[in-house]
């Protein structure tokens, strides 16, 4: 079973936002990497009212699972130790999460979606010693937290049936409607992506960052570092299509979770990854064919020359004409396709 450390970022009674707990091996660079995802969720804290956001993000060194929320939303009753407000009466928002060092192989990622109590408990544990401190110090923690293995059924099938893009580079954020069904499937597919990344150099080793419960797609698409997100409101690109790095269009209103149900339809899907298989795409294949058609003419001339010099053979004129016509058609296609 993998051992995890804790990470907590938030405001205390007197002091503004900062890291209150980090893994012991975190460098300043690691803190900055983590902070960009935390602040991306906290960019407008009021939007988190009664809407906690889950996140999973990983690079080559670490994987982080956390919850960003307003403490008063989970701590409804008057607690014995109140950490809901600062000294100005403002709500306190916090990111609480767990970190695993990827130098150890993972057999699973814990399924913590909707386990709010786990993160509230972690928050209370860290805030107990830092909440009223006028100059709270970062607590550096060991990797000694064991999280029970989740009971997930047929995790691997989500990759094949849902068509999650585990075999391509994610060039542009993918956004989906924030339904409970989408949340579960995207969480599981992201977890599987991260597990697969341990056994492949490319492309699964790419960084990936999931945000569940973001307010709008516009923010995710334009300003945040997240690569995948479920969004509560589709406010931008409602009637537009996004063109990804390969030139294929995908409709942001479409719910890819239902892709498996469309596999028997006669019309092909227009998902951004529907033409991309193991790094290849339709446009690339057409380009290769076009190049072959162009270079066949000079290759034919070379073969004719060798045949004449070595064997005193001459090709029929029809071969020259056919090759020339193919060459001309390929050249013309450069301006058409």
């Amino acid at each position: 079973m993998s051992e995890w450390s804790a990470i907590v970022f938030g405001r205390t009674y007197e002091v503004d936002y900062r890291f209150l707990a980090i893994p012991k091996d975190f460098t300043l660079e690691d803190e900055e990497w983590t902070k960009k995802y935390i602040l991306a969720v906290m960019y407008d804290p009021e939007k988190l009212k009664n809407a906690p956001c889950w996140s999973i993000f990983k690079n080559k060194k670490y994987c982080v699972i956390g919850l960003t929320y307003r403490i008063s939303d989970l701590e409804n009753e008057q607690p014995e130790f109140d950490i809901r407000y600062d000294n100005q009466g403002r709500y306190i928002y916090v990111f609480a999460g767990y970190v695993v060092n990827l130098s150890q192989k993972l057999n699973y990622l814990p399924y913590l979606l909707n386990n709010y109590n786990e993160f509230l408990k972690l928050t209370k544990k860290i805030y107990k010693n830092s909440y009223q401190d006028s100059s709270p110090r970062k607590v550096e923690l060991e990797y000694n937290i064991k999280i029970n293995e989740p009971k997930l059924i047929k995790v691997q099938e989500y990759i094949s049936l849902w068509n999650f893009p585990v075999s391509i580079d994610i060039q542009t954020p993918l956004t989906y409607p924030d339904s409970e069904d989408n949340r579960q499937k995207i969480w599981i597919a992201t977890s599987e992506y991260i597990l697969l990344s341990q056994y492949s150099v490319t492309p699964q080793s790419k960084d990936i960052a999931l945000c569940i419960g973001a307010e709008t797609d516009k923010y995710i698409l334009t300003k945040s570092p997240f690569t995948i997100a479920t969004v509560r409101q589709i406010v931008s690109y409602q009637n537009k299509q996004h063109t990804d790095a390969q030139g294929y269009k995908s409709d942001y209103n479409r719910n890819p979770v239902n892709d498996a149900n469309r596999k028997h339809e006669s019309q092909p899907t227009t998902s951004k990854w529907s033409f991309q298989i193991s790094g290849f795409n339709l446009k690339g294949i057409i380009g290769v064919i076009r190049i072959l058609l162009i270079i066949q003419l000079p290759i034919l001339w070379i073969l004719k020359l060798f045949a004449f010099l070595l064997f005193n053979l001459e090709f029929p004129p029809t071969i020259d004409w056919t090759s020339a016509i193919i060459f001309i058609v390929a050249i013309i296609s450069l301006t058409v396709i």
Side-chain angles (χ1 to χ4, degrees):
M1 181 179 293
S2 303
E3 294 189 336
W4 298 67
S5 185
I7 185 167
V8 175
F9 180 93
R11 172 189 284 155
T12 62
Y13 186 71
E14 295 185 19
V15 183
D16 208 354
Y17 290 101
R18 62 185 60 201
F19 282 108
L20 302 174
I22 59 172
K24 66 174 185 178
D25 61 347
F26 254 38
T27 64
L28 288 177
E29 183 180 356
D30 297 327
E31 289 184 27
E32 290 302 313
W33 169 73
T34 308
K35 189 187 295 184
K36 73 178 180 180
Y37 295 107
I38 296 173
L39 295 182
V41 178
M42 287 187 172
Y43 79 103
D44 189 353
E46 292 184 1
K47 298 294 193 303
L48 293 169
K49 178 182 178 182
N50 296 316
C53 279
W54 302 90
S55 52
I56 302 176
F57 45 94
K58 81 103 182 172
N59 60 11
K60 293 181 180 179
K61 294 173 63 178
Y62 301 101
C63 178
V64 181
I65 299 176
L67 178 67
T68 308
Y69 66 102
R70 190 173 73 172
I71 295 179
S72 62
D73 290 338
L74 301 188
E75 191 77 297
N76 297 320
E77 300 179 359
Q78 181 69 31
E80 180 180 349
F81 178 62
D82 196 351
I83 57 174
R84 296 177 297 175
Y85 310 98
D86 66 6
N87 59 356
Q88 301 297 318
R90 295 173 295 186
Y91 291 109
I92 289 182
Y93 299 84
V94 65
F95 171 87
Y98 295 101
V99 184
V100 65
N101 190 310
L102 295 179
S103 61
Q104 57 178 314
K105 291 293 185 182
L106 301 178
N107 296 321
Y108 70 94
L109 254 66
Y111 185 74
L112 296 172
L113 184 65
N114 297 331
N115 191 347
Y116 299 101
N117 188 59
E118 178 71 30
F119 294 96
L120 179 60
K121 182 172 64 175
L122 172 61
T123 302
K124 288 181 176 180
K125 180 179 179 180
I126 299 301
Y127 268 66
K128 185 175 182 180
N129 297 321
S130 61
Y131 175 65
Q132 293 182 330
D133 193 335
S134 59
S135 56
R137 298 179 181 178
K138 285 184 294 190
V139 180
E140 296 186 354
L141 302 172
E142 301 282 343
Y143 288 91
N144 56 10
I145 302 173
K146 297 183 184 296
I147 304 176
N148 291 330
E149 185 172 352
K151 304 300 180 183
L152 298 179
I153 301 174
K154 299 180 180 178
V155 175
Q156 183 65 36
E157 289 192 6
Y158 282 112
I159 297 297
S160 57
L161 293 182
W162 182 51
N163 222 8
F164 192 78
V166 297
S167 62
I168 63 170
D169 294 338
I170 298 176
Q171 302 287 351
T172 305
L174 310 174
T175 58
Y176 309 116
D178 187 45
S179 68
E180 201 58 42
D181 187 50
N182 280 6
R183 285 184 170 209
Q184 182 189 45
K185 291 182 177 179
I186 293 172
W187 180 292
I188 294 174
T190 301
S191 298
E192 188 74 357
Y193 182 104
I194 292 172
L195 295 176
L196 289 172
S197 73
Q198 300 176 104
Y199 306 100
S200 176
V201 177
T202 58
Q204 289 102 311
S205 58
K206 299 292 184 181
D207 295 356
I208 189 170
L210 165 67
C211 179
I212 289 184
E215 188 205 10
T216 69
D217 62 329
K218 182 177 181 180
Y219 176 73
I220 293 295
L221 292 169
T222 59
K223 297 180 180 179
S224 89
F226 287 100
T227 52
I228 309 172
T230 67
V231 294
R232 289 177 279 134
Q233 297 179 55
I234 304 292
V235 297
S236 66
Y237 304 96
Q238 286 173 305
N239 300 310
K240 300 179 182 179
Q241 287 185 322
H242 165 261
T243 302
D244 71 6
Q246 299 296 334
Y248 296 108
K249 295 181 178 180
S250 59
D251 188 348
Y252 275 98
N253 286 323
R254 177 170 163 238
N255 179 359
V257 174
N258 295 323
D259 279 354
N261 298 328
R262 299 189 178 96
K263 62 183 179 180
H264 298 299
E265 294 181 5
S266 58
Q267 295 298 321
T269 62
T270 55
S271 164
K272 70 179 291 181
W273 56 83
S274 61
F275 296 120
Q276 296 172 312
I277 304 174
S278 301
F280 293 95
N281 55 66
L282 183 60
K283 189 175 181 179
I285 293 172
I286 292 174
V288 171
I289 294 174
R290 184 188 291 124
I291 291 172
L292 292 175
L293 295 178
I294 292 174
I295 66 174
Q296 54 83 29
L297 182 59
I299 290 175
L300 177 63
W301 290 344
I302 294 172
L303 291 175
K304 286 178 61 179
L305 179 61
F306 274 101
F308 181 76
L309 294 176
L310 297 177
F311 306 106
N312 198 28
L313 294 177
E314 294 186 3
F315 285 27
T318 53
I319 294 180
D320 289 337
W321 301 339
T322 303
S323 180
I325 292 172
I326 293 174
F327 177 82
I328 294 172
V329 170
I331 293 295
I332 293 175
S333 72
L334 291 175
T335 61
V336 176
I337 301 179

